[in-house]
Amino acid sequence: MFPSDWKKVQKRLMKLGFNPGPVDGIRGKMTSNAIRRFQQSVGLLADGIVGPMTYAALFGPPATGQVHRFDRMPWFDEANRLMGTKEIPGPMSNPQILKMAEDLDIDYDNDDIPWCGLFVGHCVGSTLVEEPLPANLLGARQWLKFGEPVSPQIGAILVFWRGKKDGWKGHVAFCAGEDKKRYYCLGGNQSNTVNVTKISKSRLLGARWPLTGPDPAGLTSLEGIVAIDGDGNEE
């Protein structure tokens, strides 16, 4: 969903008496919680996701009869929204990155500390408020314990090894596409920024999917898909 879509949802929630926080077009925790409260009030599954049934309950059935496909992968939408976020070199840190850690109650005070896991944790934790996160989400390989295993597909969390396959270093990001040899990964701390980076398929340790997310079988597989940013960096 685009910010304009979220503003529309936030305004509607506010009018119905469910405070979503600032009407800023950002799907934060207050908005997610307001959606869940609204869903409970109308007898829908309170998952905090504005799927077709929740959209129809908010705004009424669409006049055209078409099903609205809003909010299918909210964590992936949040990752895209943060595209271009950069750490600040030297002793200063980007307050936006520090705020991600603060919201997750993580002791983190310098964006020189690798933040790929923090970025994934923010995107999932701020949009799927009931989703259990890894105990040490700053550790990239800890994300192999997250959610449930899934075949690599758009929006899946991909975990890679760094240095040695049997070592402890790693990288974690969201799958945004592929070519024959590489996955296109939307992640944080990739050349110190949030961007799309190409990573060899031979380095993949596993792909994971949120337990409280929509059924991955009903979403977009990777078959025939190549990421738009084909000129991205190679990690």
Side-chain angles (χ1 to χ4, degrees), residues 6 15 26 31 42 47-48 58-59 63 69 84 91 96 101 140 152 172-173 175 190 198 216 231 233 235:
W6 276 117
K15 184 175 182 179
I26 297 174
T31 298
V42 295
D47 58 5
L58 279 169
F59 299 104
R69 301 175 67 187
Q96 191 173 15
V172 61
C175 183
Q190 297 181 162
K198 297 174 284 188
D231 296 323
N233 299 322
E235 208 270 355

Side-chain angles (χ1 to χ4, degrees), residues 32-159:
S32 295
N33 286 330
I35 294 166
R36 292 173 63 237
R37 292 194 302 273
F38 169 75
Q39 290 170 323
Q40 289 173 338
S41 75
V42 295
L44 294 175
L45 174 66
D47 58 5
I49 296 175
V50 184
M53 293 178 67
T54 299
Y55 184 91
L58 279 169
F59 299 104
T64 61
Q66 295 179 344
V67 176
H68 287 266
R69 301 175 67 187
F70 280 10
D71 207 21
R72 300 170 71 205
M73 293 183 286
W75 64 93
F76 194 59
D77 291 341
E78 177 68 359
N80 275 282
R81 184 182 73 82
L82 293 169
M83 188 80 76
T85 303
K86 297 181 179 180
E87 65 181 66
I88 299 175
M92 300 293 291
S93 294
N94 185 330
Q96 191 173 15
I97 296 174
L98 298 185
K99 184 67 164 55
M100 295 179 192
E102 179 184 343
D103 289 344
L104 292 167
D105 197 24
I106 294 174
D107 184 13
Y108 181 92
D109 59 7
N110 192 316
D111 62 16
D112 288 335
I113 300 170
W115 49 279
C116 63
L118 173 61
F119 175 75
V120 171
H122 163 77
C123 294
V124 174
S126 65
T127 59
L128 299 177
V129 295
E130 297 295 317
E131 183 72 28
L133 299 177
N136 177 21
L137 58 78
L138 291 178
R141 294 194 188 214
Q142 294 297 310
W143 285 92
L144 289 169
K145 304 173 184 178
F146 171 78
E148 60 184 345
V150 70
S151 298
Q153 67 179 79
I154 300 297
I157 294 170
L158 303 183
V159 182

Side-chain angles (χ1 to χ4, degrees), residues 1-10 25 59 70:
M1 292 173 66
F2 296 104
S4 58
D5 295 323
W6 276 117
K7 285 184 178 180
K8 179 180 178 181
V9 169
Q10 289 168 330
F59 299 104
F70 280 10

